Amino acid sequence: MLSVVPGRASAIFNLEYPQSVVVVDDYATAQKIVDQLSDKEFPVENLCIVGTDLKTVERVTGRRTWGSVLGQGAVSGLGMGLLVGLMMMFFTPGGAVLSLLLTGLIVGVVIGMITAAITYSMSGGERDFNSVQQVVATHYEVLAEHKVAAQAREMVSDMPFMRAKAFEG
């Protein structure tokens, strides 16, 4: 059973003596359960949906090449260059606003590319791929405060789609 640790989360996420109502495989089902409890006038402010059994999923998006590394460096340098250009615009008197902005952008892009190239060359050929990572829950647990947990469990067991799930496997 999962318990919310007092003092570790903000007070809005704390339940008083939380007890498990049901564990399901996807968030949509947990949300549907809470929604149906709400429709039946259950005090849903005593519930919490918690993602459990976390895992990291990494999706490989492509190979890292010198071209992709320099391109990513240029894109990351754009933001810094824009900031530098705007600062130069505000603190330099005169009418060359566009040239100052362009100079800042170019400096940012160049610095971004140089930084990316140095980092990539120091990696020694390890991790020559781009990817994105996400932490996902494999199960979702509906928790309830102890004073309403038994009532919630009973109401969930009476839900038609939950009874059908019991026979699925």
Side-chain angles (χ1 to χ4, degrees):
M1 179 175 100
L2 180 70
S3 177
V4 180
V5 179
R8 295 263 183 194
S10 84
I12 194 165
F13 292 108
N14 287 336
L15 293 177
E16 199 173 300
Y17 306 110
Q19 294 183 356
S20 182
V21 174
V22 66
V23 177
V24 294
D25 292 332
D26 56 86
Y27 179 76
T29 303
Q31 191 176 22
K32 185 176 181 179
I33 289 167
V34 173
D35 187 48
Q36 288 200 8
L37 287 170
S38 177
D39 291 346
K40 294 178 180 181
E41 305 292 323
F42 183 83
V44 292
E45 61 275 3
N46 295 306
L47 298 176
C48 189
I49 299 173
V50 179
T52 61
D53 300 327
L54 302 179
K55 65 180 178 178
T56 301
V57 177
E58 183 172 11
R59 174 72 166 103
V60 177
T61 58
R63 291 183 50 128
R64 287 185 83 187
T65 63
W66 276 106
S68 68
V69 167
L70 294 176
Q72 289 172 347
V75 169
S76 70
L78 274 175
M80 182 57 76
L82 181 62
L83 181 65
V84 169
L86 288 172
M87 296 306 252
M88 286 173 33
M89 258 177 35
F90 290 129
F91 295 113
T92 304
V97 173
L98 187 58
S99 65
L100 289 173
L101 188 59
L102 261 144
T103 302
L105 283 172
I106 290 170
V107 167
V109 167
V110 169
I111 289 174
M113 290 173 71
I114 290 171
T115 305
I118 291 170
T119 304
Y120 183 61
S121 66
M122 288 175 58
S123 73
E126 294 201 17
R127 196 164 164 88
D128 276 345
F129 60 91
N130 294 321
S131 63
V132 292
Q133 286 186 355
Q134 183 177 11
V135 175
V136 295
T138 57
H139 297 96
Y140 293 86
E141 185 170 15
V142 178
L143 298 174
E145 288 193 1
H146 69 288
K147 59 190 174 196
V148 294
Q151 178 189 5
R153 276 190 223 101
E154 185 178 323
M155 291 174 77
V156 168
S157 68
D158 288 341
M159 292 178 182
F161 71 94
M162 290 303 290
R163 285 190 302 220
K165 276 187 174 291
F167 292 105
E168 286 177 2

